[in-house]
Amino acid sequence: MIAPRSTLALLALLPRQVPTTLSIFAARGRAAMESAALGWGLIVISVIVFLIFLGFLALPLWRNRGRGDLSMAGAAQAVRDQHDHPDEIRGILLLGLALPALVLAAVFVWSTIKTSAQAQPFAVNDPDASERADAVVIGHQWWWEVRYPRDGVLTANELHVPVGRRVRIALSTEDVNHSFWVPQLAGKTDLVAGQVNTIWLEADTAGTYYGECAEFCGPQHAHMGFTVVAESPADYADWLATQHAPAVPATQPEVQAGRAAFASLGCAGCHAVRGTVFQGRAGPDLTHLASRATLAAGTLPNTRGDLAGWVADPQRVKPGNRMPVVAMSGTDLQAVVAYLESLH
Amino acid sequence: MATRVEPTPAPAGAARPTDPREAVERLRWIWETPRTLAGALTTVDHKTIGIRYLWTAAFFFVLAGADAALMRVQLAHADSRFLSPEAYDQLFSMHGTAMIFLYASPVLSGFSNYLVPLLIGSRDMAFPRLNAFSYWSFLFAGCFLYGSILVGQAPDGGWFAYVPLTTRAYSPGPNLDFYALGLLFLTISTTVGAANFIVSIAKLRAPGMSINRMPIYVWSTLSASVAMVFALPSLTVALVFLELDRRYATHFFDPQGGGSALLWQHLFWVFGHPWVYVVVLPAFGIVSTIIPTFCRRPLAAYTLVALASVSVAIFGFGVWAHHMFTTGMSAMATSFFSAASMTVSLPSGIATASWLTTIWFGKPVYKTPFLYCIGFLLLFVIGGLSGVMTGLVAFDRQVTDTYFVVAHLHYVLVGANVFPVLAGVHYWFPKFTGKMMHEGLGKLSFWVLFVGANVLFWPMHHLGLAGMPRRVYTYAPGMGLDAGNFWSTIGAAIFSVGFLIFVANVVRSLAGGEPAGDNPWGASTLEWSVSSPPPAYNFARIPTVRGREPLWEQGADEIAALDSGARGATLLEGRETLGTTVMDAADEGIMHMPGDSPWPLALAAALALLFWGLMLRGFWPSLLGVVATVFALGAWFWPAGHHGPGVPPRRGGAGREPAYGGGAA
Amino acid sequence: MTTADAQAAGPPARPPLSAGRGGHDVGWWGMMVLLATEAALFSYLLGSYFYLAVQHPTWPTIGAPPLALVAPNTALLVASSGAAWWADRSADRGNRVGLIAGLALTIVMGAVFLGVQGLEWSRADFRPQTDAYGSMFYTITGFHGAHVLAGLLALGHTLLRAITGAFPPGRTLAVNNTVLYWHFVDVVWLVVFTSLYLAPRF
Ligand code: HEA
Ligand code: HEA
Ligand code: CUA
Ligand SMILES: [Cu+2]
């Protein structure tokens, strides 16, 4: 039995060192660092503005307390004294218009400089951005298809990037809108139906970063995570090579039985395993499933128990997701799991 | 609609009252709606309609608030299974949709309906029947939208319902049809309501109330109404496209068929951003009315504040794409909309400075309405500052679609809508009912609500910065999200308690509040010159205004005279008020107004039938709805019998209605 | 001397009226606001049309729609505005026959316009479901057609009232407003016509 666990619980269990944070201030990439710096600046400015405001509010409230009464005569006098008083108007124009205008102009310029550093690598609507990008991420309800077009790699819910390099990523969607967000590396970019958006992704420090979908995309929007692994260029090259290779042929009897069950149960209708006849497209490519850190878009850690739990009842952990419950015997389940675990 | 008529000499033999008591008697006969069921269904009295708006909006607030309470229970701790994802999605969508469309804007329509004619010294709105129609169709549209919850198929695409998620392919159920049709229906109600305010304010101000003497509340209602008139059609177009795509396989939003998914976002936000100002401008107006009263002085820099509210309404149309910074727009475009968002903040700065100056040079009296205004100031400035932060692209790309935005929107909406509304209720309750609210309970409700709101919404900033996306039905433990969510739920509970205290105060005061008198706060605007509650005809004599603060500037005798009916009878020949010129409010003539009528209700019911027919995809009900609508319109505009002026007061007699036909909207 | 001052002076109960002093009735103002929001509606429709247009290499995707039917039809609608203007003027001058004839003529012309528009729809070789262009084309012309229909209903209503004799001079607001609305529908058509039929030819 698997405990009903959700998105990120698993991260603590992962073998690799994984930061258990999504904080935008724990930035590890240039774009995110710029946003974080701006964010701190804005917070400081806002606090100052608020304190000034608070002073102007609290002081008279305190000083003038108890001086008022609801008589008409006092008010009538005030109309005569204070009606459109030029000093008041000048003060308001200064404190309410001129000073805020300065502050707003300053933060606008600051932000705009940062924004231009975060520009898209390809022109808006560049028709072949998807071919020329280093990696392509395609959103599905509720998982991420990941392709490295030039390296012949197809995987899901996990990106690898060489540390310290700027990687160009093209984003598109198969169904509804989603949004690609790795808080520690960069701000969001939406995956908009019928459109290809592109971003730079850059990690300064090796490590695993957590990403999530940030545009409401249906009932399982809460469970549409992914991981970004930033590693040394050599490790990255290794990873690409492994992912490029077709699945290792099944040799052990249990694995072979699992492969047969995978076919007979209909899994292959939705899932592809390269190097075999399984060519389903509706679900994630499983060729190297065992190499992935998480299952079902960051919903479960990729352990044997969780994998078995997922295959036996995917609707339990992620109610409403697009993988149906496939009825199968205990032995079939064991076999299928063994097969899936062999897909390194 | 009110029709201008040529001066008609009173028919020979008509009773010409000279005695004030007789004049008042006659006015009551002309204006009062009989307290019967038929009277309740046909009345066009703006005060009755205004109060109904307030109650109905409060009702939807409680429903939408209950949705939120359920959401907060679900989010109180990680991995909660209290709600299914589908249920959660319907709840947050209904919560947002209902709060924005069925609470925040109608509640202000309630105030404006009640107050605008009184503030401008008129006897009713320009189109009293249209006003009744606005209310009925709002009620029906609201029930239509919330009806979806009864069948468990409420809209579940969020309040801005982005395509393609909301198209038939990804949302085959009726959920989004409720949304699209319900809002289309509501749009009709809101548009005619706004038109009514604009014309009333333009034409029915008391003589002497030139535009530079209009109360700020009137300015803000005018600005909001103008924004409505130009913003709502964008929503209409978006909803029609959506419904056509869903029902008739058109391709407006379908990229495969040459459409565009972003078109929806543009259309929605071209409406949506002006709309968020629509739901605060009249609230600013409330604050700008109350602060001066309790600081015992006029509002500082009146002209600047009036200009500020107009310019917020106008600039509000130029910032919509700040909701779309992450959709892949060019850097040029995002910078433009970012700069526009900075600009649109400036008028709010002016308004804030004006309120502060008013307090600074005033003599504050700490009554409950004033406390709520202080609460408003604190919450609104926090919300405004977070708005400015999200208006900056490089920061927004990190916080958009996170709880940071949820924090922003609640600080501005709760701060600048709910708090001013509560201030307004405490302030005008004596006028509405003739009874005072309890000060102690009022202050207690303020403090509980203020603390509750901050405990509820402040942690959301932290949650957003810690990376919690919005619209997630659950989250994982150990990610730095647990404490914030827990406190937020506690805050929701505190807030609810505060609201219950407020409700208790209303109930108590309705039953046994101390009598209020005409002007318990010593306020300056015209509504306080008449009795509490005001008579059906508002003013026995249409006042003549000599300044911005009539009751402060015009001496006590004159004020008394404003409403005595003692100085000669005026406008006693039927439902009449004065029409004046647009800028100077110079007397232009008598406006005749229609009386009570069943047709507004009939038309709203016919439309409800039509929309239900469309909803159920029933051909016959829809056709019946169309026929009924056309018929109701025809009957409405068909001239009523001519009841000439000077019909002597005969209670309950035939011929109560003094209207001329002439398109009696 | 203002109204109220006059009243304060004593019994003459009627305030001095100045109804003839220019300025417009609230009914006219109401119509203006209605037209403003309607104009905004069509702007958003056409805005959406052009938003899609600029994103498409070929637009209209089906080629510019033919002018054979629509050009004379446009002329007819413009002419109907003339008839409506005549009805309006007749009403102001108390010429009941002119009013009735003008309204009737407008209605006939408007109805023919609508019929031809229907014919054009039935002849077109694309449907709203063909592609986004088709959706836009039918929806925009359909919205306009619905406004024509509403105008016709209002004109018919006014005609009925005119026949029963409801419009003495000075009480012609309903006529004025209906005709104003009709002119508006006409102007909107010119904009729609220019955008949908003429613009693609340049
Ligand atoms: C009551 C309604 C209301 C109001 C008044 C505002 C006011 C503002 N809003 Fe807000 N906004 C919403 C309701 C409102 N908003 C809602 C509902 C959403 C979410 C929609 C959704 O996605 O569901 C939203 C979302 C939203 C976004 C999109 C965020 C995102 O999704 O990523 C942005 C971005 O620019 C924004 C900006 C602003 C700005 C700049 C203001 C400005 O007008 C604020 C101006 C006020 C002040 C600045 C404070 C007073 C001024 C001073 C004290 C002077 C000194 C100030 C300075 C020197 C800075 N708002
Ligand atoms: C005027 C507007 C308004 C108001 C007043 C509120 C008030 C509240 N809002 Fe809401 N909110 C929105 C407008 C508003 N909201 C919008 C536009 C959204 C975006 C929706 C979207 O994403 O599409 C949103 C989204 C939103 C979310 C984010 C959902 C998500 O992204 O997943 C949350 C989560 O906590 C929330 C909570 C609350 C709470 C607890 C209150 C409380 O203040 C409510 C308090 C009121 C009551 C509780 C009712 C009265 C109380 C009683 C009668 C007592 C007894 C009843 C019970 C305790 C059951 N709101
Ligand atoms: Cu995908 Cu949210
Ligand atoms: Cu906005």
Side-chain angles (χ1 to χ4, degrees), chain B residues 429 434-438 505-516:
Chain B
F429 190 89
K435 293 168 181 166
M436 301 298 289
M437 283 181 78
H438 191 273
N505 195 0
V506 169
V507 172
R508 184 215 77 103
S509 309
L510 277 178
E514 304 82 69

Side-chain angles (χ1 to χ4, degrees), chain A residues 118-125 189 196-200, chain B residues 327-330:
Chain A
Q118 300 176 7
Q120 300 195 17
F122 296 97
V124 179
N125 288 329
T189 304
V196 177
N197 284 335
T198 56
I199 52 161
W200 291 107
Chain B
T327 55
M329 293 187 303
S330 68

Side-chain angles (χ1 to χ4, degrees), chain B residues 72 88 95 99 159 403 410 460 470-471 495-496 499:
Chain B
R72 278 319 324 166
Y88 184 88
H95 166 70
M99 281 293 189
W159 82 280
Y403 265 76
H410 284 98
M460 291 183 178
R470 62 194 284 199
R471 300 170 162 187
F495 193 91
S496 303
F499 190 77

Side-chain angles (χ1 to χ4, degrees), chain C residues 94-106:
Chain C
N95 171 0
R96 196 154 149 243
V97 179
L99 168 63
I100 293 175
L103 287 175
L105 191 60
T106 315

Side-chain angles (χ1 to χ4, degrees), chain A residues 4-9 11 20-25 32 35 38-39 42-43 46 49-50 53-57 59-72 74-76 78-79 82-84 88-89 92-93 95-97 100-101 104 107-108 111-112 114-115 118 120 124 141 174-177 181 183 186-190 192-195 197 199 212-223 316-317 319-320 322, chain B residues 79 81 85-86 89 92 156-158 160 162-165 170 255 261-262 265 293-294 296-298 300-304 326-330 334-335 338-339 342 345-346 349-350 352-354 356-357 359-367 370 374 377-378 381-382 385 388-389 392-402 464-467 469-479 519-523 548-549 551-553 559:
Chain A
R5 217 170 337 184
S6 69
T7 324
L8 309 166
L11 291 175
T20 49
T21 182
L22 290 160
S23 168
I24 70 159
F25 292 121
S35 295
L38 179 65
L42 290 175
I43 290 174
S46 298
V49 171
F50 185 76
F53 156 80
L54 196 62
F56 274 105
L57 178 64
L59 199 68
L61 284 180
W62 176 254
R63 203 185 48 197
N64 298 341
R65 70 188 183 287
R67 280 183 47 202
D69 60 65
L70 293 178
S71 79
M72 299 293 271
V79 175
Q82 292 172 316
H83 178 86
D84 282 350
E88 290 184 355
I89 293 177
I92 289 168
L93 285 175
L95 285 172
L97 186 65
L104 290 167
V107 290
F108 171 71
S111 162
T112 307
K114 301 288 178 198
T115 318
Q118 300 176 7
Q120 300 195 17
V124 179
Q141 278 179 320
E174 275 287 307
D175 39 50
V176 305
N177 295 357
W181 188 34
K188 303 172 187 73
T189 304
D190 295 353
V192 180
Q195 179 175 324
N197 284 335
I199 52 161
E212 54 195 350
C213 176
E215 182 69 81
F216 180 63
C217 53
Q220 281 303 334
H221 162 62
H223 291 135
R316 196 186 140 73
V317 223
R322 299 260 186 261
Chain B
D79 285 335
R81 296 234 147 181
E86 288 78 11
D89 295 348
F92 83 71
D156 54 2
F160 45 77
Y162 277 1
V163 295
L165 182 60
Y170 302 102
L262 283 185
Q265 299 193 17
T293 297
F294 292 101
R296 311 309 300 158
R297 50 152 294 157
Y302 165 95
T303 313
L304 289 179
T326 57
T327 55
M329 293 187 303
S330 68
T334 55
S335 312
S338 178
M342 299 304 106
S345 307
L346 292 173
I350 293 184
T352 309
S354 157
L356 289 180
T357 309
I359 297 172
W360 186 278
F361 294 109
K363 297 181 179 137
V365 183
Y366 291 82
K367 297 284 186 193
F370 185 61
I374 302 296
L377 279 171
L378 291 162
V381 169
I382 295 176
L385 290 169
V388 168
M389 293 170 79
L392 295 164
V393 185
F395 185 67
D396 185 61
R397 291 193 54 184
Q398 281 286 20
V399 296
T400 183
D401 269 311
T402 68
L465 297 174
R470 62 194 284 199
R471 300 170 162 187
V472 292
Y473 73 99
T474 190
Y475 55 94
M479 298 296 298
N519 191 0
W521 312 121
R548 265 176 218 155
E549 320 283 346
L551 303 203
W552 288 348
E553 286 169 274
I559 296 159

Side-chain angles (χ1 to χ4, degrees), chain B residues 61-72 75 88 92-100 103-104 157-161 279 402-403 406 409-410 413-414 417-418 453 456-457 460 468-473 485 488 491-493 495-497 499-500 503:
Chain B
F61 175 81
V62 170
L63 286 186
D67 293 347
L70 292 173
M71 283 149 59
R72 278 319 324 166
L75 294 174
Y88 184 88
F92 83 71
S93 304
M94 278 313 280
H95 166 70
T97 310
M99 281 293 189
I100 298 270
Y103 158 71
W159 82 280
F160 45 77
V279 302
T402 68
Y403 265 76
V406 179
L409 73 89
H410 284 98
L413 281 167
V414 172
N417 181 293
V418 176
L456 167 53
F457 299 121
M460 291 183 178
M468 180 166 170
R470 62 194 284 199
R471 300 170 162 187
V472 292
Y473 73 99
N485 275 296
S488 181
F495 193 91
S496 303
V497 169
F499 190 77
L500 286 179
V503 171

